[in-house]
Amino acid sequence: MPDSHDRSLPSPENTHFKSVDVDVVVVGAGFAGLFMLHRLRGLGLTARAFETGDGVGGTWYWNRYPGARCDVESMQYSYQFSDDLQQDWSWSEKFAAQPEILTYAEHVADRFDLRRDIQLESRVAAAHWDDATGIWSASVEHDGRTSTVTSKFLILCVGCLSAANRPSFAGFERFQGSHYHTGYWPKDPVDFTGLKVGIIGTGSSGIQTIPHVAEQAGHLTVFQRTPNYVVPDWNGPLDPAYEAEIKADYQDLRSNAKTRPSGIWVPFNTDSALDASDEERQRRFEEFWGYGGLGFMGSFGDLLTNADSNRLAADFVRGKIAEIVSDPDVARKLTPDNVLGCKRLCVHATYYQTFNRDDVSLVDLRTEGAIEHFTETGLVVGGVEYPLDAVIFATGFDAMTGSFEKIAISGVEGQTLKQKWEAGPSTYLGFQSAGFPNMFMVTGPGSPSVLSNVLLSIEQNIEWITGCLGTLLQKGQSRIEPEIDAEEAWVEEVNRAAGGSLRSTCSSWYNGANIPGKPLVFIPYIGGIPDYTKACDAAVENGYAGFKMR
Ligand code: N01
C-alpha cells in the first residue's frame, strides 16, 4: 500500500499539543497498534501504546491454545505497507500457526523500532474526554498502580475478539481440576497427557483445539451446543515456487484481493448454484472442497444470499461428515442443520476424523441437556456426571463491542460509550462515534473487520485515520467527530447490508446472540471491502463529509 498521506506537516510542538503527555494514546499493541504507532511517527506525532500483555501481538499473543492457526493464507495475512518487509519475510506454511504469526509481530515491532513507544503489562482501564480542554485522560494500570496519561487523541486498537466470554456455570468454584480459556491460554505449554479433559464449545477455537488435545489426553469429552460446518484446509509447507511467483509481483495479489468482498484472493465463481446441473454442482463442490479453506464459499456466487443454493452446499458438507465419521449416531450429532457460513465457517483438515477415536466422546447439549452444574470432580449434563481433571472453555468472545466496552470510556457530558451503545453500537464508518471527539477505532463496529482479511482491514483503517489526522494538522485544527446524521445513515447502511445476507439469519457472535442480554444487531459491515473502501474514500474526497472538524 503506498504511503499516500502528506508527510510535510507542521510540527505538532509548534501548534496546540503542548499541554498533553503525548499527542496520541494508542490502546493495544497487536497488529493494529503496531502499525498505528509506525504511521503516527510518520506524522511527527508523539504516541504511546499501552498493552495489557507482556508482549506484542494482541490476538496472536493471547490465543496460544494448541492448534491455533490462521485460516487466511499467510501470503495474504501479512502487512503490505512495506515492500521490503513482505519481500524479506518467509512463511513456513500455507496457513501459519500461532507461534509463527507471533514471531512475525515481534519482528515487525523490532524492525520498525516500535518497542520504545510501547508500555507492556499496562491496562487502560478508563479514558475520559474533557470537552473544555479537548484532552483525553487515560487511566493506566501498571504494576499495581494507576496513573493518568493525557493526550489529544485516543486510538483504540483493541481487536474485535479480545474480550473473552466465559459463561458462568453453577458450582464452577467447587471444581478442583484445572481450567483454561482458549482466548487466554497460558504461556507455558499445558500437558494433558493421560488426563480426563473436557472442552466446552465447538467454534473455530474449539475445532482447532480438539484434535490436538485428543492426541494427548487420556480421554477427551467434547461438550457441543451447536455443531458447526468444518471444511478442510489441506495445510502444508508453503510451496517455494508459489511464494516466488507472488513475490515477483506482490502488488498484483494485494490489488486483486481488494476487489473481493472478503479482501481475500481465492477462486470465486459468480454463478448461482441453482443454475448448474446436478453433476456440475457436485463437481464444483468437490473442486472447492479440494481447494480447501474458507474459499469453499466461492464455489458459487450466491451461497450467502440464496437459501436454496446454500442448502445444496450445506448438503454437500453434511454428506462429507457422514462419509468421514464412522459412528452414524456421532455423525448425526456433528451435523449442522443451520445455514452454511451463517455462523463463521470453521476450517480444519482432521476435525471430523478425531471423533473416530475411542478416547474421544461427544456430548450433544441440545439433546442430552444443558450443562447443569460443576462438581468438585467434573460436570453434570442431563443428570450424568462426566469426571474431568481439566476443562477448556472454547466459549468465544463478547465480540466487537466487548473489547471497547471493557474500558470505561466517557465522552462529551460524561456519556459513556457503553450507555451510547446500549441498543447496539453506533459509528460512522467504524472509525468514530459522535460524542467521543478525537477517539478513533480500528476495525470498529460498522466496519468489515471480522468479515474480511482483518490484516487488510487494519491497514486500510489505519491509512485512513493517518490521512485524516494529517489533514487535521495541516488545517491547524484539533478536533474531529462524526455528524450525528452521517452516523445514523451509516448504521442504517450496516443494517441494510446485513439484511441482504443469510449471515444475519442465525444466532452468532456477529449479532451478539452469544452473550446473554447483548442487543441483537448485526455488528460488522457486510457490504464488503470494495463498497466500504469506496465509502471511506468518498468521505475524504468530499472534504471529510460526515465529520465535524474544527
Ligand atoms: O468462539 P465462538 P471461538 N454452553 O463464539 C459455545 C475467530 N477465530 O473462540 O454456537 C455451551 O465461535 C458456542 O455454542 P453456540 C473466528 O472469527 C479464528 O471458537 O453458541 N456451549 C460455540 O460452540 C471465530 O469465529 C480462527 O451454541 C457454549 C463456542 O462455545 C471467532 O474467532 C481461530 C456456551 C464458541 O464459539 C470466535 O471463535 C479461532 C455455553 N454456555 C478463532 N457458551 C482462525 O483464523 C458458548 N458456547 C482459524
Side-chain angles (χ1 to χ4, degrees), residues 65 69-71 161 167 169 200-206 208 225-226 343-344 365 394-397 509:
Y65 58 84
R69 182 180 296 286
C70 186
D71 57 13
L161 297 159
F169 291 107
I200 303 170
T202 52
S204 298
S205 305
Q208 289 187 325
R225 190 163 67 179
T226 310
K343 284 177 183 284
R344 189 183 186 280
L365 300 176
T395 44
F397 302 90
W509 58 260

Side-chain angles (χ1 to χ4, degrees), residues 322-375:
E323 269 172 36
I324 298 168
V325 180
S326 11
D327 180 336
D329 188 44
V330 176
R332 190 181 45 75
K333 289 177 182 170
L334 285 169
T335 301
D337 56 10
N338 56 3
V339 165
L340 172 76
C342 187
K343 284 177 183 284
R344 189 183 186 280
L345 188 62
C346 298
V347 177
H348 199 281
T350 60
Y351 175 70
Y352 291 123
Q353 285 84 341
T354 304
F355 291 89
N356 292 336
R357 299 175 64 114
D358 292 338
D359 53 5
V360 173
S361 47
L362 179 66
V363 177
D364 181 359
L365 300 176
R366 294 187 305 179
T367 56
E368 292 166 51
I371 294 170
E372 286 167 23
H373 60 88
F374 273 80
T375 64

